[in-house]
């Protein structure tokens, strides 16, 4: 049974990691943070830290109620996790795309014209950052579709643009999120790119995830490549190929593959767990690691007298 001190220690560690991350000096891998946050949610689902970390960041942008819930994805961090998810979608064709490492975005087009660009926020309420998005790469201001279209994508900065235009910043993900929501000197948003992966239209014009990608490419969007398979082994091989070198060769950061039921009707029929669709999983890569030299250790004494590094 969880104790109050254990929950308090979890919150302390998560708060320190969150502060360090947004200051550009991450203490732990995203996967470790996610695991700790999940543990806290299981032990104390009403904890104030959870409400704070999931809330929209107050930055002065107009708040907007999203047209539909923008959930995240449940994660598979091992072959066993993926096999467990595969057992829930037997016989389904799967669409495979790359899991981009940036800031989630929703674009709204009416009568073929971009009218609004919204951040994901907490999945229900986001922020209207249309001004900045209009000058980003990969976003056509008009599309050949007269109905209403919603395009979901990720704001990223490519590695080449990061090196050229953001030489003093710490990492591409922080740069993408921070620059996209700048109030002043927002012209630097020109060096950001929106890569898209989901299309919702009224009237409907696609029946599969693959068709969504192909349609968006035809309309002028930058999109993550998509392939389809029914083979779990093929998915695992592709993931390993990225780990072995394909990932490093890309001009943008990814941290896994997104595996979805390709048939749109079947995907929707599977429903959701909370805000996350059951017809998809993020098959994450192992955390990147390297070799470092330990130069010293600082010790501290807690209130209980416990000494920790």
């Amino acid at each position: 049974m969880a104790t109050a001190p254990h929950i308090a220690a979890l919150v302390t560690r998560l708060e320190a990691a969150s502060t360090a991350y947004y200051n550009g000096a991450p203490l732990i891998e995203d996967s470790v943070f996610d695991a700790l946050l999940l543990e806290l949610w299981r032990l104390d689902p009403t904890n104030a830290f959870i409400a704070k970390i999931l809330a929209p960041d107050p930055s002065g942008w107009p708040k907007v109620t999203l047209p539909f819930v923008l959930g995240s994805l449940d994660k598979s961090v091992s072959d066993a996790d993926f096999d467990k998810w595969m057992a829930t979608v037997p016989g389904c064709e799967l669409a495979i795309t790359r899991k981009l490492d940036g800031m989630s975005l929703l674009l709204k087009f009416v009568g073929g014209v971009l009218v609004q660009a919204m951040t994901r926020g907490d999945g229900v309420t986001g922020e209207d950052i249309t001004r900045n998005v209009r000058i980003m790469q990969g976003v056509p201001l008009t599309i050949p579709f007269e109905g209403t279209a919603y395009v979901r994508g990720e704001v990223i900065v490519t590695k080449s643009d990061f090196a050229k235009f953001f030489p003093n910043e710490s990492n591409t993900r922080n740069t993408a999120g921070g620059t996209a929501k700048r109030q002043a000197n927002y012209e630097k948003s020109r060096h950001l790119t929106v890569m898209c992966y989901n299309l919702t239209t009224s009237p409907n014009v696609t029946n599969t995830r693959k068709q969504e990608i192909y349609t968006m490419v035809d309309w002028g969007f930058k999109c993550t490549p998509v392939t389809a398979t029914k083979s779990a082994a093929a998915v695992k091989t592709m993931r390993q190929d990225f780990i072995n070198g394909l990932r490093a060769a890309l001009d943008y950061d990814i941290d896994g593959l997104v595996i979805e039921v390709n048939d749109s009707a079947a995907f929707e029929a599977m429903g959701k767990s909370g805000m996350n669709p059951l017809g998809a999983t993020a098959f994450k890569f192992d955390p990147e690691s390297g070799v470092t030299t330990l130069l010293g250790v600082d010790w501290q004494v807690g209130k209980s007298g416990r000494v920790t590094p």
Side-chain angles (χ1 to χ4, degrees):
M1 181 178 294
T3 63
H6 179 61
I7 291 173
L10 268 177
V11 172
T12 297
R13 188 176 179 191
L14 284 163
E15 286 179 335
S18 180
T19 299
Y21 177 83
Y22 286 106
N23 286 333
L27 294 175
I28 58 178
E29 294 283 348
D30 289 349
S31 58
V32 176
F33 184 91
D34 291 345
L36 292 172
L37 188 63
L38 179 59
E39 181 183 1
L40 178 62
W41 179 81
R42 286 172 173 165
L43 297 176
D44 186 12
T46 62
N47 192 279
F49 177 80
I50 296 175
K52 180 177 72 174
I53 204 69
L54 295 180
D57 177 33
S59 64
W61 291 100
K63 298 297 187 292
V64 58
T65 299
L66 300 173
F68 41 83
V69 173
L70 296 184
S72 185
L73 293 174
D74 289 332
K75 299 175 178 62
S76 297
V77 298
S78 65
D79 285 355
D81 287 345
F82 179 65
D83 289 339
K84 184 177 180 180
W85 177 80
M86 280 291 296
T88 69
V89 293
C92 291
E93 183 177 56
L94 306 173
I96 309 166
T97 54
R98 299 166 185 176
K99 186 176 181 300
L100 301 159
D101 196 14
M103 186 188 79
S104 189
L105 187 73
L106 183 68
L107 308 172
K108 180 180 181 181
F109 291 79
V110 177
V113 177
L114 175 65
V115 296
Q116 197 171 40
M118 299 159 274
T119 66
R120 175 177 174 267
D122 64 357
V124 177
T125 301
E127 295 167 314
D128 187 328
I129 61 168
T130 308
R131 180 196 67 176
N132 288 13
V133 172
R134 284 183 178 276
I135 62 174
M136 294 179 188
Q137 302 171 56
V139 180
L141 301 182
T142 61
I143 59 175
F145 181 73
E146 290 303 315
T148 299
Y150 291 98
V151 175
R152 189 168 178 185
E154 198 91 353
V155 180
I156 65 168
V157 56
T158 63
K159 295 176 184 176
S160 52
D161 282 343
F162 181 74
K164 184 175 181 180
F165 300 109
F166 304 95
N168 299 317
E169 301 203 15
S170 59
N171 62 74
T172 57
R173 183 178 184 181
N174 285 1
T175 295
T179 304
K181 294 171 65 174
R182 280 190 177 189
Q183 294 282 353
N185 194 21
Y186 74 95
E187 292 83 0
K188 294 205 77 172
S189 290
R190 297 183 188 280
H191 308 309
L192 304 181
T193 298
V194 178
M195 291 193 68
C196 300
Y197 52 83
N198 182 242
L199 172 66
T200 303
T201 61
S202 179
N204 184 50
V205 295
T206 62
N207 297 313
T208 68
R209 295 304 190 202
K210 280 187 67 176
Q211 287 178 353
E212 291 178 26
I213 298 288
Y214 293 155
T215 299
M216 287 187 289
V217 170
D218 287 343
W219 288 354
F221 294 94
K222 288 184 180 293
C223 296
T224 171
V226 59
T227 58
T229 183
K230 289 187 176 181
S231 168
V235 174
K236 294 174 184 177
T237 296
M238 180 180 294
R239 174 176 178 264
Q240 193 60 48
D241 286 343
F242 274 100
I243 292 172
N244 290 345
L246 290 181
R247 176 189 187 184
L250 296 175
D251 192 34
Y252 51 88
D253 289 323
I254 63 173
D255 57 3
L257 300 177
V258 175
I259 319 299
E260 303 174 272
V261 172
N262 190 36
D263 183 89
S264 300
F267 176 89
E268 294 297 335
M270 292 190 68
K272 297 181 179 180
S273 174
M275 294 174 62
N276 299 348
L278 294 172
T281 187
F283 200 178
K284 300 274 284 186
F285 299 144
D286 295 332
E288 292 184 293
S289 61
V291 177
T292 187
T293 300
L294 180 64
L295 300 180
V297 177
D298 291 331
W299 296 89
Q300 62 182 7
V301 181
K303 293 180 179 179
S304 66
R306 181 180 179 183
V307 179
T308 57

